[in-house]
Amino acid sequence: MDVLVPLLQLLVLLLTLPLHLMALLGCWQPLCKTYFPYLMAVLTSKSNRKMEGKKRELFSQIKGLTGASGKVDLLELGCGTGANFQFYPPGCRVTCLDPNPHFEKFLTKSMAENRHLQYERFVVAPGEDMRQLADGSMDVVVCTLVLCSVQSPRKVLQEVKRVLRPGGVLFFWEHVTEPHGSWAFMWQQVLEPTWKHIGDGCCLTRETWKDLENAQFSEVQMERQPPPFKWLPVGPHIMGKAVKLFPSPKALICSFPSLQLERVTHQPTYLPLRGT
């Protein structure tokens, strides 16, 4: 099987040679940035219909995470077209971040359709560099189908932890690699060099659960799910949440003196996904 991969990659490269030549000449990326929001608008609409129940279950937990203002300060990382807005509870103050400025008109439309939310701003920046957002300024970060296409998932998760307040929560839904040694994994390896161009940097073979394990969240709840579209090369999905650790028991007592504390460990725990 390992011998087949480079041969089949070469065949796919030859079949899609114009695309690769355009990428080499620097012509493809601007074109991709322009058309990709339209592609995502179609795919996310279909995906929401398939995943509505699971998304409502996951995002219903946001309403219990209000900050001192009585509202939830929420950052959507790689916000795309705003397809998740319909699942957020009322009272969220939503900040959107995406490196592609062409998504803004889709966000404006989504916000007009979801008046139960308060739209703060759209930040054009990569997830690895969110310097425009202050430390500890967010109660919630949402990240869906984003870590597959960033340059460094590790750096993105570091930034997520920085902007989350202590006790804040990252909600995620990401596609991951097929099991190694399977035929499905072989085809992901074959298609990945071409798929990265089509999918605006999307990698098919990332083991994103390992990045979440190594990010030093205090707790991780995760479910593994089959892919919503069998005709795409993306593999199974992981959906869940990760909680940012309070800085220390002493700091927690100062902020919430009435709480009874237990020892907190940096080791993530993997539990069935459910409300808190």
Side-chain angles (χ1 to χ4, degrees):
M1 192 178 293
D2 290 340
V3 178
L4 279 176
V5 170
L7 295 175
L8 290 171
Q9 282 180 338
L10 179 59
L11 177 61
V12 173
L13 187 149
L14 291 172
L15 291 172
T16 57
L17 189 58
L19 185 155
H20 289 276
L21 287 175
M22 289 177 67
L24 186 64
L25 295 171
C27 303
W28 176 256
Q29 190 67 7
L31 179 63
C32 180
K33 291 292 185 186
T34 302
Y35 88 78
F36 193 66
Y38 293 92
L39 175 63
M40 289 304 296
V42 174
L43 289 179
T44 53
S45 176
K46 293 179 181 296
S47 176
N48 274 349
R49 288 197 290 270
K50 286 179 173 287
M51 298 299 298
E52 181 176 359
K54 282 294 185 181
K55 281 194 171 186
R56 290 200 184 281
E57 177 187 354
L58 182 68
F59 295 137
S60 67
Q61 300 172 59
I62 292 174
K63 61 186 176 184
L65 296 167
T66 52
S69 65
K71 295 181 179 292
V72 176
D73 287 308
L74 185 152
L75 168 66
E76 175 137 8
L77 180 61
C79 54
T81 61
N84 290 324
F85 292 170
Q86 61 182 294
F87 303 113
Y88 297 155
C92 291
R93 297 193 296 205
V94 180
T95 298
C96 300
L97 184 140
D98 202 289
N100 189 344
H102 296 286
F103 276 116
E104 186 166 18
K105 69 177 182 179
F106 293 90
L107 289 174
T108 302
K109 180 176 181 292
S110 292
M111 274 296 168
E113 295 170 350
N114 292 277
R115 297 290 187 181
H116 64 291
L117 304 175
Q118 181 179 331
Y119 182 47
E120 294 292 293
R121 58 176 172 150
F122 176 47
V123 179
V124 180
E128 293 91 342
D129 183 9
M130 296 191 280
R131 68 183 69 182
Q132 297 181 59
L133 304 176
D135 295 2
S137 58
M138 296 294 161
D139 304 303
V140 169
V141 175
V142 174
C143 178
T144 61
L145 303 180
V146 172
L147 295 177
C148 59
S149 59
V150 298
Q151 293 293 318
S152 172
R154 179 184 63 83
K155 289 182 180 179
V156 171
L157 292 172
Q158 285 178 346
E159 280 288 87
V160 167
K161 288 183 66 181
R162 180 184 65 78
V163 302
L164 275 174
R165 64 164 171 81
V169 179
L170 164 67
F171 292 93
F172 58 88
W173 181 51
E174 298 288 339
H175 70 81
V176 295
T177 181
E178 293 281 5
H180 287 206
S182 66
W183 284 101
F185 176 66
M186 186 204 75
W187 281 111
Q188 284 186 322
Q189 290 178 294
V190 169
L191 296 172
E192 187 166 65
T194 301
W195 184 258
K196 282 182 180 180
H197 294 308
I198 299 171
D200 198 17
C202 176
C203 298
L204 296 171
T205 59
R206 283 192 173 163
E207 298 174 324
T208 304
W209 68 90
K210 292 183 179 180
D211 297 307
L212 289 160
E213 287 173 1
N214 295 328
Q216 297 292 291
F217 287 99
S218 62
E219 180 186 1
V220 176
Q221 295 185 19
M222 189 184 303
E223 271 188 11
R224 189 178 178 91
Q225 299 167 351
F229 302 115
K230 301 294 185 182
W231 47 273
L232 288 177
V234 295
H237 288 52
I238 54 173
M239 174 182 275
K241 64 181 182 179
V243 182
K244 178 180 176 179
L245 184 69
F246 281 94
S248 69
K250 184 177 180 180
L252 183 58
I253 291 170
C254 292
S255 299
F256 303 98
S258 63
L259 289 181
Q260 298 295 316
L261 300 181
E262 298 178 356
R263 178 180 291 273
V264 178
T265 176
H266 285 283
Q267 182 63 38
T269 56
Y270 294 89
L271 305 170
L273 183 61
R274 58 183 181 274
T276 55

